[in-house]
Amino acid sequence: MKKLFLIALLLCIGTPIAWAQNPQQDELAQEKEALPKPYNPEEDGLEKINELLKLAKKKNKRLLIQIGGNWCIWCLRFNHLVTTDPELKKILDKKYLYYHLNFSPENKNEKAFAKYGNPGEKYGYPAFLILDKRGNILTTRKTEDMEESKGYNKEKVKKFLLGRLDLNGQL
């Protein structure tokens, strides 16, 4: 009887704790929901990259490929920063065509990664590939050294976009 009482007591106390939401998870879920979802899980990444390289030749630009997915809060945060901050958006638009290469269980874009590699496997997500207008890899990049608190350091992102942030994240 004592064991039964103890089990019932533990269930009564433990159940609300088990079902309680973690406030940080709630906040993260709300942030993720509010941010634009730039990745297209149905898209053939290699086909899209080839299409964008033709345009890059015409416009004499580089192709900045952000690898990740709509599941990745850091991917969404980076996209939001560079597309809404006027100074960063101006640099981005002037120098690059910007593409989001999806990597998710729905679409791992194996053909694109077979050709260009997947720096996200090494660095985590998001990761970047920068291609010249001919499709040659100029650099791969992690974003961890540009992160700051719950976002990105604008000056480091700016230097990255300008090609002036060294591979160790130093300005």
Side-chain angles (χ1 to χ4, degrees):
M1 190 67 162
K2 287 182 183 180
K3 284 183 182 178
L4 207 61
F5 177 74
L6 183 59
I7 290 170
L9 181 64
L10 288 173
L11 285 174
C12 289
I13 293 171
T15 301
I17 293 170
W19 290 103
Q21 287 285 340
N22 179 338
Q24 288 178 328
Q25 286 178 333
D26 269 354
E27 186 180 314
L28 192 62
Q30 289 173 358
E31 179 186 4
K32 194 183 279 188
E33 184 63 34
L35 291 170
K37 309 300 182 286
Y39 293 90
N40 181 350
E42 288 88 40
E43 191 166 63
D44 180 328
L46 185 58
E47 187 177 301
K48 186 65 176 184
I49 289 169
N50 290 334
E51 178 185 316
L52 290 169
L53 286 172
K54 290 175 187 173
L55 188 57
K57 276 184 186 176
K58 286 181 186 175
K59 294 188 171 202
N60 196 30
K61 291 186 178 189
R62 294 176 174 178
L63 180 56
L64 174 63
I65 301 172
Q66 181 177 321
I67 301 164
N70 294 327
W71 51 266
C72 168
I73 189 66
W74 286 99
C75 300
L76 302 180
R77 287 172 176 164
F78 189 91
N79 174 72
H80 181 71
L81 175 64
V82 299
T83 59
T84 61
D85 181 279
E87 182 180 21
L88 296 178
K89 175 115 174 81
K90 184 178 178 182
I91 296 166
L92 183 68
D93 291 345
K94 182 179 180 183
K95 292 186 63 136
Y96 302 99
L97 297 179
Y98 183 36
Y99 176 59
H100 298 85
L101 178 57
N102 186 75
F103 179 77
S104 68
E106 301 86 20
N107 183 0
K108 295 183 181 179
N109 271 305
E110 284 131 348
K111 290 186 287 183
F113 293 124
K115 182 168 184 173
Y116 294 107
N118 182 352
E121 289 177 339
K122 178 180 178 183
Y123 301 134
Y125 300 95
F128 292 97
L129 284 168
I130 298 180
L131 307 181
D132 69 12
K133 62 186 174 188
R134 292 178 194 85
N136 299 311
I137 298 173
L138 297 174
T139 190
T140 59
R141 183 74 200 192
K142 62 182 177 178
T143 61
E144 180 180 280
D145 50 20
M146 293 185 274
E147 294 172 7
E148 183 175 85
S149 185
K150 291 182 179 181
Y152 288 91
N153 177 300
K154 180 182 170 180
E155 282 307 306
K156 286 187 176 186
V157 171
K158 179 180 172 183
K159 295 288 185 185
F160 163 65
L161 293 175
L162 291 170
R164 298 184 187 138
L165 188 68
D166 75 18
L167 292 177
N168 295 316
Q170 302 300 309
L171 297 174

